[in-house]
Amino acid sequence: NMTEKPSPPEANLTLESLEALKVIADPLRNQILEVLTPKPLTINQVATRLGVASSKLYYHFNLLEKHNIIRVVDTVVHGNLIEKHYWITAYQFTIDEEMFNFQVDTPEGTEQLVNLLLSNLNATREDIQRSIYARHHQITHGAPQNPRSVLDRRDIYRLPDEVARDFHSRLHALVEEFKQEAEQYENSQEEGLIPWALSLVFYPRFYYEEQQTGEKNDE
């Protein structure tokens, strides 16, 4: 138990360095933050929830703490063992808009943009994989089955820019509606509440153009 109730995380913190962005974008560290969001936990408790060895998490916890993304809120001594409880420093982390000013015409800028956009996809992949195995473990150990619908789609269509922009705006509004609905249950003690994840990518697709060399093929 906590010796005293720690101060709650801030509502929002802005990430202002590319290093911090890289730290938080890692799929495993992303899952650590999700597990730590409701309340402070020890590394062993987080490891149990994620189904990994605690030894695999120390490096990631150190990085998150170094960049002020998590913090120690309580320390409990058990004999020669020191047990630290960690909590997130903010419920939401936003990215400084200056961080998006990548020079895509440079190799470094292109790589930064690719890593930024793929971070959520990688985290989603890891989260889905863990969730499926964890649910299988629950059911095989007696949990009642409760089939739920999962939406998994990938569609590709040709659209004018103005139509795509309008659809983008409506998608954004729907995501905000999802967030507002969830906020109603943030502090609810109602039974049967489980986290639902929403990952969304809507992007223009490009192909490499054929190079015109001007050379004639030998017949």
Side-chain angles (χ1 to χ4, degrees):
N1 293 331
M2 297 290 171
T3 53
E4 60 181 65
K5 190 174 182 179
S7 57
E10 296 185 33
N12 181 78
L13 277 181
T14 301
L15 300 177
E16 298 178 346
S17 74
L18 187 59
E19 275 192 22
L21 175 59
K22 289 179 179 177
V23 167
I24 207 170
D26 177 85
L28 180 55
R29 291 192 282 272
N30 202 285
Q31 292 185 71
I32 290 172
L33 296 180
E34 290 173 2
V35 172
L36 284 177
T37 296
K39 63 180 181 180
L41 296 171
T42 66
I43 292 180
N44 286 338
Q45 289 173 325
V46 172
T48 297
R49 284 162 171 74
L50 293 181
V52 300
S54 57
S55 58
K56 187 179 179 181
L57 299 184
Y58 286 101
Y59 167 76
H60 299 285
F61 268 74
N62 287 336
L63 269 182
L64 290 167
E65 186 178 12
K66 176 183 176 182
H67 289 275
N68 193 38
I69 298 170
I70 65 172
R71 61 191 171 99
V72 177
V73 294
D74 191 41
T75 302
V76 180
V77 178
H78 300 285
N80 295 325
L81 178 65
I82 299 177
E83 192 175 61
K84 296 179 179 179
H85 290 78
Y86 294 85
W87 207 3
I88 52 174
T89 55
Y91 285 112
Q92 184 173 356
F93 295 92
T94 55
I95 301 170
D96 190 337
E97 289 186 1
E98 290 296 318
M99 303 262 293
F100 286 104
N101 293 333
F102 298 124
Q103 298 298 317
V104 184
D105 56 344
T106 67
E108 296 80 10
T110 300
E111 188 69 19
Q112 289 175 3
L113 183 59
V114 167
N115 289 336
L116 173 64
L117 294 177
L118 290 184
S119 63
N120 277 338
L121 289 178
N122 291 331
T124 298
R125 176 186 177 277
E126 297 287 336
D127 191 39
I128 290 174
Q129 185 178 47
R130 189 207 67 249
S131 295
I132 291 173
Y133 284 119
R135 183 57 178 157
H136 171 74
H137 183 271
Q138 291 175 357
I139 292 176
T140 56
H141 284 75
Q145 294 195 17
N146 181 13
R148 300 177 176 92
S149 297
V150 175
L151 181 61
D152 181 19
R153 293 283 300 270
R154 174 172 164 78
D155 298 307
I156 302 168
Y157 299 108
R158 296 166 63 89
L159 295 170
D161 267 358
E162 61 271 18
V163 175
R165 290 191 185 99
D166 176 65
F167 186 65
H168 179 278
S169 297
R170 287 185 284 135
L171 273 178
H172 188 271
L174 188 60
V175 172
E176 284 300 307
E177 181 182 334
F178 171 78
K179 179 181 175 182
Q180 291 169 10
E181 288 283 350
E183 286 175 348
Q184 299 179 33
Y185 300 96
E186 192 167 321
N187 298 313
S188 173
Q189 301 301 316
E190 181 181 332
E191 292 186 3
L193 295 180
I194 65 169
W196 283 82
L198 173 65
S199 296
L200 179 66
V201 183
F202 181 58
Y203 60 99
R205 302 174 73 238
F206 296 96
Y207 294 97
Y208 291 97
E209 296 179 1
E210 293 183 18
Q211 299 299 315
Q212 302 296 327
T213 62
E215 298 179 358
K216 293 182 178 180
N217 294 329
D218 293 333
E219 294 293 337

